[in-house]
Amino acid sequence: MNSEEDEFRRIEREALRLWAAQTDDDDDTQIYKKPWQGLTWEDMPEEYAGDSNFLSGARWAEARLKERNT
């Protein structure tokens, strides 16, 4: 290779290095998660208010969903 080709390769390597450094920078993208909100007593249907089996099942389902989503 002659000195002109060597210089071209050097510039090409430097350009690739600069391009790679530019694309690796953090883009400051933030991922915001909503905090977990469990069920309230108002969320429970009134017709099941006295049914302990239903309320136990609802709390069980809520606990499993919380495990998966937090």
Side-chain angles (χ1 to χ4, degrees), residues 1 5-20:
M1 276 193 226
E5 289 177 358
D6 291 340
E7 181 66 9
F8 176 78
R9 298 282 184 238
R10 186 192 67 75
I11 292 170
E12 183 179 43
R13 282 193 308 272
E14 181 66 12
L16 288 172
R17 186 190 66 78
L18 290 172
W19 179 79

Side-chain angles (χ1 to χ4, degrees), residues 41-68:
W41 288 111
E42 291 79 30
D43 294 328
M44 301 292 183
E46 286 184 30
E47 60 267 19
Y48 295 109
D51 187 346
S52 63
N53 289 330
F54 175 82
L55 296 176
S56 294
R59 292 298 176 203
W60 174 87
E62 179 183 39
R64 296 295 93 54
L65 288 170
K66 185 175 183 179
E67 287 175 5
R68 289 184 176 192

